[in-house]
Amino acid sequence: MTNQTQTPAANQAAGRADAQRPIVALGGGLANALPPHVWFCVSAVFHYLGPAFAVLLFDQVGVLGMAWLRIATAALIFAPLTRPWRVFARADRAQRLLLLLLAFGACLAVMNCSFYLALDRLPISLVAAIEFVGTIVVALVGLRSPRNFAALAVAVIGTLLLIDVKWSSDPAGLFWAFLNGALFVGYIVIGHRIAQAGYGIAGLGAAMAIAFLIVLPIGFREALPALSSPQLLVAAIGVGVCSSVIPYICDQLAMARLPRASFALMLSLLPLTATLIGVIVLRQVPSVIDCVGIAMVIAGVAMHRPRAV
């Protein structure tokens, strides 16, 4: 049967096969041999380790230049694994997959830029706390319950403790942090829809290619110093691998074998890992009040109950 006569279901199955290609490339036996919790913990470490190293390069490359290099690295690595051109060719307009991919790519581009702009001005622990309040909002929309309302209240109070006087000292940093948090919600919602369409990592690779095109005119100029310095370029590529390749693939390996409720509960570890990495890499030592706020955010994320699937 020719490609022209393939049904949407056949196209979707082909997309699903492309989505599994990166996992096979990792060495399928290892992917299944290790418990899913191990993959999540690896993701939790690299989720903020890469950005922490990126902060150290801001003076030499520039904030938007680092965001461009992060997305460019991920796009170039994902391209041969996921073959995004095939995803675009297979996109069924009746399912609005193309629009979803465009929205996902735009979300990734602006989210990464706003994340780095926030990190340039605020402690990584505060940015992480604001980012994960949005995950509770998603749970609240999906499942309105007293437990989720309480979880949101606890997390918001914890975030307010972390913000403290920063409302007046750096409103621009808070703007970028809250924009990143809002886009992180969009990342969850749109990413879930693309996953339901059967594209998974293949959709992520296609969206990353779109994100690369969006940030090209924004961050390329600031990224030029890295392109002319082999040491800087290697460091920037390392940041991209640590920030957008390792954690995304590990998330897929974990989510493939963990119930959504378990995965959502384990997200409560991320503000803690962000704080620890901030202390070790960036020497951002939190105060007692900051520690209380971080603990409350962790408790709120742990308390919330996602909708069962």
Side-chain angles (χ1 to χ4, degrees), residues 25-281:
L26 282 174
L30 180 63
N32 293 321
L34 294 177
H37 303 80
V38 172
W39 292 116
F40 181 90
C41 290
V42 173
S43 173
V45 171
F46 281 96
H47 189 82
Y48 290 107
L49 184 62
F53 285 131
V55 171
L56 301 177
L57 299 175
F58 282 170
D59 290 338
Q60 296 170 284
V61 180
V63 179
L64 294 177
M66 276 307 308
W68 182 84
L69 287 165
R70 167 181 174 167
I71 293 173
T73 299
L76 291 175
I77 291 175
F78 277 122
L81 294 174
T82 63
R83 302 179 182 180
W85 53 90
R86 290 190 174 184
V87 178
F88 291 125
R90 197 179 293 119
D92 186 351
R93 293 186 180 181
Q95 295 178 343
R96 298 183 180 178
L97 177 60
L98 185 59
L99 292 177
L100 282 176
L101 290 173
L102 290 171
F104 200 26
C107 182
L108 285 170
V110 181
M111 182 177 70
N112 278 284
C113 290
S114 60
F115 182 47
Y116 277 5
L117 287 166
L119 289 180
D120 188 42
R121 295 171 172 269
L122 300 173
I124 194 170
S125 57
L126 173 57
V127 177
I130 292 174
E131 185 174 53
F132 283 93
V133 168
T135 64
I136 306 176
V137 175
V138 172
L140 193 61
V141 172
L143 183 64
R144 296 179 181 88
S145 68
R147 176 175 179 150
N148 281 346
F149 277 110
L152 181 61
V154 170
V156 167
I157 293 172
T159 303
L160 290 175
L161 287 176
L162 281 167
I163 290 173
D164 196 17
V165 297
K166 296 182 181 69
W167 280 113
S168 57
S169 63
D170 204 333
L174 287 170
F175 168 78
W176 293 119
F178 278 105
L179 178 60
N180 170 67
L183 290 169
F184 188 67
V185 173
Y187 167 79
I188 294 172
V189 174
I190 300 172
H192 179 63
R193 289 185 179 180
I194 290 177
Q196 282 188 326
Y199 284 85
I201 298 179
L204 174 63
M208 198 66 74
I210 294 170
F212 170 72
L213 294 176
I214 292 174
V215 299
L216 182 60
I218 300 174
F220 179 73
R221 186 174 180 178
E222 287 192 16
L224 285 176
L227 299 180
S228 59
S229 170
Q231 289 183 333
L232 269 180
L233 183 59
V234 170
I237 291 173
V239 167
V241 172
C242 291
S243 302
S244 293
V245 178
I246 294 177
Y248 288 159
I249 291 178
C250 288
D251 279 346
Q252 290 294 324
L253 293 172
M255 286 189 290
R257 295 160 59 198
L258 279 175
R260 181 188 289 182
S262 299
F263 188 85
L265 177 63
M266 294 180 72
L267 284 176
S268 62
L269 295 174
L270 292 182
L272 176 60
T273 59
T275 303
L276 294 176
I277 289 170
V279 172
I280 296 170
V281 178

Side-chain angles (χ1 to χ4, degrees), residues 1-11:
M1 184 170 292
T2 62
N3 290 335
Q4 286 79 3
T5 58
Q6 283 183 336
T7 64
N11 286 336

